[in-house]
Amino acid sequence: MGVTYKYFGAPDGATAARVPVTMRPEELGGDELGMGGLFTKIKPETMAAMVLTGIEGIPLHKVPPLELVVLHPDYAVVKLPMTVVDPLRGIGEEAVGAAAFIWSTVPDRGGPSDAFNVYQLLHEWQDFSHRLHEAGHQPYCLVWP
């Protein structure tokens, strides 16, 4: 059984910490990645590395750690650094495509990822970054088995 990750925005850690598994982010005044309440199997640390190494050129060992907001027996909430979403707001198609290509060459447990899938994912994250910025929210991730 895998872990599920649900990305959302919240104005602060106290609000993010109150997100029970069944609460919808729109009830919080937050935002979530994807349309219609999509979840993902992509870890927040992988997203951080994908953006920071592929777009910002930061070496993998210098990617900042995630901040644990709450650890519950059934779930956890982590805060992603703003450096993971902010760089996406100002880049164009060429940079997204280049980052997708770079990341597609990085092997993971399932082998290298398809560049087009990474490109689509980065576009979803780019939209998410714009929505967070407009709402004045920070990026968080709800993690549960």
Side-chain angles (χ1 to χ4, degrees):
M1 213 166 152
V3 174
T4 301
Y5 304 97
K6 183 175 188 176
Y7 294 92
F8 67 97
D12 53 49
T15 303
R18 291 192 307 267
V19 180
V21 175
T22 58
M23 184 178 279
R24 295 191 311 269
E26 57 269 17
E27 293 172 349
L28 277 176
D31 193 358
E32 67 184 306
L33 178 61
M35 302 298 284
L38 293 178
F39 304 114
T40 182
K41 294 290 186 181
I42 299 176
K43 296 190 285 187
E45 34 305 353
T46 301
M47 279 311 308
M50 189 182 299
V51 170
L52 295 174
T53 60
I55 294 172
E56 295 289 288
I58 294 174
L60 216 47
H61 69 280
K62 292 198 177 202
V63 172
L66 304 175
E67 179 185 324
L68 182 64
V69 176
V70 66
L71 182 59
H72 182 275
D74 298 326
Y75 63 91
V77 175
V78 295
K79 179 181 178 187
L80 286 78
M82 285 305 289
T83 53
V84 173
V85 292
D86 282 348
L88 290 166
R89 287 201 324 274
I91 63 171
E93 284 299 308
E94 298 82 15
V96 173
F101 175 76
I102 290 166
W103 194 257
S104 73
T105 65
V106 177
D108 58 23
R109 283 181 284 164
S113 302
D114 178 78
F116 185 69
N117 291 342
V118 176
Y119 174 80
Q120 289 179 308
L121 175 69
L122 286 173
H123 264 296
E124 286 180 357
W125 269 81
Q126 196 170 36
D127 292 343
F128 181 56
S129 175
H130 285 289
R131 292 192 310 268
L132 283 176
H133 182 71
E134 289 165 9
H137 289 173
Q138 303 284 313
Y140 292 91
C141 183
L142 175 61
V143 182
W144 74 95

